[in-house]
Structures are given as structure tokens and as C-alpha cells.
Amino acid sequence: MTTATAASATTAASTSGARVAEPSAISYFYGPGFADMAKLVRAVFDSIRDSMALLAHKTQGRVGAQEGGFGLPRMVLACVIVAGWFCYWLASSVAQLFAGISFCLFMLLPQVVLFTVLEVVMLLVGGIVRVADALVTRVRHISYVCESCHARCTLPMYTCSNCNRKHCALTPNKFGSWWHRCECGKRLPATVLRPSRAKLDAWCPNCWRSGIETSLTNKTTTRTVMIPVIGGESSGKTAFITAYVTDLIDTRASAKGLTATPDGTDKQTMYSGMRSDYASGVVAKTATQQNIADASAFSMSFAVTGPRLSPERRIQLLDIAGETFVKNDENEQQLQYRDADALILVLDPMSLPLARSRFGSSLDAGDSGTISSARAEDVLTALNNNLRAVAQSDRHGRLDMPIAVVLSKMDESQHLLDRFGDPAVLAMKGLDAEKYGDWFDDMDFLCRQYLYDMDMGDIVDSISQTFSNNRFFSVSAIGHTAGDGSSFTPKYVNDVVDWILQEKDPAFAAALGARTFSKAKLPIVAPAQGLYDTMFANTGVSSETSN
């Protein structure tokens, strides 16, 4: 977990809006070099001017020596002498002027030319390094995500390893291309092209501007995939995260020659708790954060490394208490919605009033007690409120951020399985194996159709109108009745994140051996009220026969 502490006196300056000076010396070729050349040229011309002034002074002295007496011969002689000295002064001045010019041409000019050549070369090299740094950062999607404010940045603040001064712009710029020299004299690597920069302590610049010091645990050169998992209380968010994280770290990563490691001691402790919950089959719902000084959203983040992953990847899954999310009662602005790669929206299919009245009696006592009390409409409203506050939409008002809509707990009732579980998908294939040939495309339609049949078609339409890239999944994170003593046996949890990785990071998806999904236009069949019963009337899976 990140370390967030009250800012020191230097931090207070940033809190008040004052710009903190970068504690680095400006590179010689970005200012001081020009100043030195200007001083040299000025010194040469000052010397010439002083010599001419001295000669003029001597001439005036000679002229003054001729003054006195009023005789005509004396006056004529004085005029001749003055004219002679004036000609001498003029000739000497012209000679010194040409001498000065010659000195500039033959002595000063080579230095200026040499400096200009070096200046052009160094500025060109600096420009190349700056472009290369930006390209590597962009092409490799290198970014850092704060564990406290959840803001994403491409350039953290770095601390000098010698004096602990914080550098806000440790990147190729006027302070240097490859290195910056701190005020204490320490040379600091100033580009992502130098891996040693990642060894410096890094801090979140967004928190710093707010007067808080928050260290970045993922200070290494990393590509971070950030996915908020959102939903109402008891909808299955925490079980979903527990199932995915535990399976990937314990089993899936090593099977593909990868290494997955929780970020830091706090995340390791969190992961140990997840493993325990996974083994027991019981997950406590996310607690509402009562202390307003603490972040409302918590994240589970871990790094994934391997020979085919460069840079290393980092997955950050964020969870927030359902009550807090629905009420928009967070302690802090939720910047993860602005910077997220994708969203996972978890809905409890039995939380819908019509579903509860029709199928509720078929639930075991354990499952019946875990039905979410959050209204699906309120969950979607809360999501839209958060997105409107921070997210950027296209000219059509839609977001290109992928969203996976998950109907959780699909196996807690046979009625649900018959609606959008495996029996329904198999029956759909039986209708037309060629038309309905993709398992997850069929699942997507069945989930949408279920919401239509439960009088929640507005939710499907709203998601389609808000997100240009959306897919619906049916999932069982625990895999059985909650609290029956068995360990997790998750189903389709990995596929949800696989789809997101395929959309946002295909190389990472390939390294994990992720499932591939069709590029068909979804839904493959337009859902409509009552369509399910029409399609499956003769298949034996229609729940209408068992109501």
C-alpha cells in the first residue's frame, strides 16, 4: 500500500498554488553557454572602445597644450597641430577598429563558430533524446498509477538519492537530456531510456499538488492496466477480484512462464487474505471507509513479469464499497474513471425486483442472504455521475473505454442457468449452430435478453449508448452456494479480464494465453421483451415452464 503523509513545509508551497522551482542546474547548452559567448564578445568590444577613448583623451591633452596667447601665428600653428593630432587620432582609431575587427574575425570568430556547432549538435541530440523518450513512453504505454488518488501519470516526481530534493521534471528538457544535476551536485538520470531512473524513489505528482506525499510502489518502468470493478453492495465485486487475482498469481502466471507478484508488503498481506478467502469459499463485503482521511476505494495491484513482457505489466483492480459508490459519498474524487483502461460493472441478477419475485424461492438460504439490496438503476446512475465528472467522451457523447457488464452468481439458481448460463448457450447453439457459433457472443445476447425480460432493458440501452465497446458476461466467482465450506471454483472470471486485455493490451493477453473473442457486432440478436420464450419454447430450458 502507498504511504500517504502530511506534507512538509516545502509541500505547503505547492498546496498554496505556488510553483516550486526545479532543484536542477540549467544545462550549459540551454542558457549559460550563450551567456558566456555574449560576455566574451562584449569584453572584446569593450577593450576596443576603451582603447579608442584613451587615444581621444591623449589627443585632447595635446590640443590643450597648444592653448594660450592670442597672436595670429600662434593660432595658425595651434590649428595645424590640432589638425595633425586629429588626423593621427582618426588614423589610429581606424587602425584599432580594423585591428579589433581582425581580432574578432581571426581570434573570436573561431570560438563562436565552434560553440555554435557544439550548440546545434547538443540541441539536436537533446531533441532526439526528448522525442525518443516520448515515443518509448507512448509506444510502450509506460505509466504509473497512484494507490491513493488513483490518478495515472507518465512522469512521477523523483527524489534525489543524495539530498532528498524532489524533482518534478526529471525528463529531457533545459536541465539536460541524459542527466540533470541536482543543486547538491548529484547527477540524476533524466530519461526513461536510462533504467537507473526507475531506481529513484518516486512520488505521485497529483497528490503532491494537493499537499500530500504519496510514494509510488510501481516506480519501475511499467505498463499499468487499471480496471475499476464497480457495483452495488453484495453484488459480487470482491469475490470476482479474489477469484481472478488468486487464480492468476497462484496458477495461471506460472503455467505461462510468467511471475506475478503483489506490490509491496501491504498488497502481499491483502493477497494472503484473498488466498484464505479463496480456500474457505467465503468473502466479506467491502467495508465502507469511515475515516474521511483515507481513500474510499482500495486497490489490489500486482506486477507480472516474463521474457515476453517488455516493459513489465502491472494490473490494478479497484474496489469501492457498494453503499459508498451508489451514494456518490466517496472521500476523494475518483480519478480512476478518468484514467481507467476499462470498467467492469457487476450486477447481481437476483437483485432485480422481477427476478426476485419469480426465482427467489429457488435459492438456498446461503445465497438468499447474499442478494444485493442495491437497485441496478441506482448503480448505473452512480456510474454515469462519476463518468460525467471526469471522463472525456467523443463527439457522439460516447466513451471508447471498454466496459464488461457481469451478471454474477449465475449458478445460484437453475432458473438463472437456464436464462444465461451454460444450458442456455448450448440450447442457443442447437437452434442454429452456424448463426450462433460463438460461445461468448451467445452469452452476451442471453445476458442482455435477461435484463430485457426482467424489465431492465433501459440499462442495456443506456450502456450501449454510453460505451461504444461493451460486452456482457455471465459469471460465477465462488462457483457454488456461499459459505458451504468449499473453496472457490470460479467460472468465466478470467474470460472477462481476458476480453479487456485483448482490447487494450494484446501482447499481454497473448503472454497469458488469454481467450480470443470474435469481432462480431454485438449483440448478434437484438434483445426484445419476450424474445427468450419465443426462441427457446421447444428446447426445454425456458423458465416459463417451471414457474
Side-chain angles (χ1 to χ4, degrees):
M1 181 173 288
T2 57
T3 302
T5 60
S8 59
T10 56
T11 309
S14 65
T15 307
S16 63
R19 183 177 178 84
V20 180
E22 184 72 6
S24 297
I26 296 177
S27 172
Y28 183 78
F29 293 97
Y30 284 83
F34 291 106
D36 285 351
M37 284 296 101
K39 288 179 182 179
L40 180 59
V41 173
R42 193 180 304 115
V44 170
F45 282 98
D46 285 348
S47 177
I48 295 174
R49 186 179 62 253
D50 291 345
S51 297
M52 295 177 69
L54 179 62
L55 182 61
H57 178 71
K58 289 181 178 180
T59 302
Q60 292 175 358
R62 293 285 184 175
V63 172
Q66 305 303 320
E67 295 180 353
F70 300 98
L72 180 61
R74 188 66 178 264
M75 291 180 61
V76 171
L77 180 62
C79 290
V80 171
I81 294 174
V82 168
W85 275 108
F86 176 78
C87 293
Y88 171 76
W89 174 84
L90 181 62
S92 299
S93 297
V94 171
Q96 289 199 30
L97 179 63
F98 278 102
I101 293 174
S102 299
F103 177 81
C104 290
L105 290 177
F106 295 104
M107 298 298 293
L108 179 61
L109 187 60
Q111 297 183 55
V112 173
V113 170
L114 179 60
F115 171 79
T116 302
V117 171
L118 288 176
E119 181 73 25
V120 170
V121 171
M122 294 306 295
L123 290 179
L124 181 61
V125 170
I128 293 173
V129 174
R130 187 179 299 112
V131 171
D133 181 273
L135 284 176
V136 169
T137 300
R138 183 177 182 84
V139 171
R140 301 180 76 182
H141 298 274
I142 295 171
S143 63
Y144 311 84
V145 178
C146 178
E147 295 283 351
S148 177
C149 70
H150 314 301
R152 186 191 296 269
C153 68
T154 56
L155 179 64
M157 295 177 61
Y158 289 100
T159 301
C160 174
S161 56
N162 184 54
C163 67
N164 290 327
R165 287 184 174 90
K166 288 184 172 59
H167 293 254
C168 303
L170 199 57
T171 188
N173 52 34
K174 67 179 181 179
F175 300 106
S177 301
W178 291 101
W179 303 91
H180 288 187
R181 187 173 296 279
C182 182
E183 290 178 350
C184 69
K186 177 74 173 180
R187 288 207 314 169
L188 304 175
T191 170
V192 72
L193 304 176
R194 287 193 174 276
S196 55
R197 190 181 73 170
K199 297 179 181 179
L200 300 174
D201 289 338
W203 306 84
C204 172
N206 184 67
C207 287
W208 175 262
R209 287 190 291 269
S210 300
I212 301 172
E213 293 182 348
T214 305
S215 63
L216 295 177
T217 57
N218 60 316
K219 61 183 180 180
T220 56
T221 304
T222 305
R223 177 173 179 174
T224 301
V225 180
M226 179 169 58
I227 309 172
V229 182
I230 54 183
E233 54 88 19
S234 300
S235 60
K237 306 184 305 297
T238 306
F240 182 95
I241 295 174
T242 298
Y244 181 76
V245 171
T246 304
D247 181 69
L248 190 143
I249 294 179
D250 281 0
T251 306
R252 194 177 181 192
S254 58
K256 297 298 179 181
L258 305 174
T259 301
T261 309
D263 280 342
T265 304
D266 291 339
K267 301 305 180 190
Q268 183 63 55
T269 302
M270 188 182 299
Y271 168 60
S272 297
M274 287 183 172
R275 292 188 69 188
S276 177
D277 292 343
Y278 191 96
S280 66
V282 177
V283 176
K285 71 176 185 178
T286 305
T288 300
Q289 183 56 257
Q290 301 295 334
N291 186 352
I292 62 173
D294 294 333
S296 296
F298 85 88
S299 64
M300 177 59 199
S301 53
F302 55 93
V304 182
T305 59
R308 291 189 294 166
L309 288 179
S310 180
E312 73 176 43
R313 300 306 200 269
R314 179 175 180 267
I315 295 181
Q316 186 184 67
L317 300 173
L318 291 105
D319 188 9
I320 189 169
E323 299 93 329
T324 301
F325 175 78
V326 171
K327 294 178 182 178
N328 288 126
D329 196 25
E330 296 88 348
N331 295 336
E332 75 284 356
Q333 186 179 20
Q334 300 301 297
L335 296 177
Q336 65 266 29
Y337 303 117
R338 180 194 68 189
D339 298 327
D341 289 282
L343 296 173
I344 296 176
L345 174 60
V346 181
L347 299 175
D348 183 348
M350 292 300 296
S351 68
L352 311 181
L354 185 55
R356 197 158 51 242
S357 66
R358 293 175 63 178
F359 312 135
S361 60
S362 65
L363 299 184
D364 292 339
D367 290 328
S368 181
T370 62
I371 295 177
S372 175
S373 62
R375 290 171 10 113
E377 307 96 307
D378 294 339
V379 173
L380 191 60
T381 298
L383 173 60
N384 288 333
N385 289 339
N386 278 299
L387 291 174
R388 278 197 298 269
V390 294
Q392 297 293 323
S393 58
D394 62 17
R395 59 190 181 90
H396 301 294
R398 299 205 301 174
L399 304 172
D400 62 0
M401 179 191 304
I403 183 171
V405 182
V406 172
L407 299 186
S408 62
K409 312 174 187 179
M410 68 172 182
D411 55 356
E412 62 183 350
S413 169
Q414 185 62 43
H415 295 291
L416 299 182
L417 290 172
D418 288 344
R419 284 281 179 169
F420 51 80
D422 291 352
V425 176
L426 289 171
M428 191 169 178
K429 285 184 175 295
L431 298 176
D432 189 335
E434 183 175 349
K435 182 178 180 180
Y436 308 126
D438 185 273
W439 186 276
F440 286 92
D441 289 352
D442 298 347
M443 178 190 291
D444 171 85
F445 160 72
L446 290 166
C447 291
R448 296 174 194 259
Q449 181 60 43
Y450 172 80
L451 291 173
Y452 262 86
D453 288 337
M454 299 300 116
D455 291 336
M456 291 295 167
D458 289 347
I459 290 178
V460 179
D461 296 338
S462 176
I463 289 172
S464 298
Q465 292 165 7
T466 305
F467 298 90
S468 58
N469 190 4
N470 58 86
R471 183 180 279 270
F472 287 65
F473 293 85
S474 57
V475 161
S476 177
I478 298 179
H480 52 75
T481 299
D484 69 355
S486 303
S487 65
F488 274 41
T489 55
K491 194 163 190 177
Y492 301 128
V493 169
N494 288 341
D495 301 291
V496 175
V497 184
D498 282 355
W499 173 69
I500 291 174
L501 293 180
Q502 180 180 302
E503 295 292 315
K504 302 300 294 185
D505 192 348
F508 188 16
L512 280 175
R515 185 189 300 274
T516 57
F517 294 82
S518 77
K519 297 298 182 180
K521 179 176 172 52
L522 299 177
I524 53 174
V525 181
Q529 192 80 30
L531 179 59
Y532 172 86
D533 293 320
T534 301
M535 292 179 63
F536 296 100
N538 300 319
T539 62
V541 300
S542 175
S543 62
E544 292 300 316
T545 62
S546 55
N547 285 341

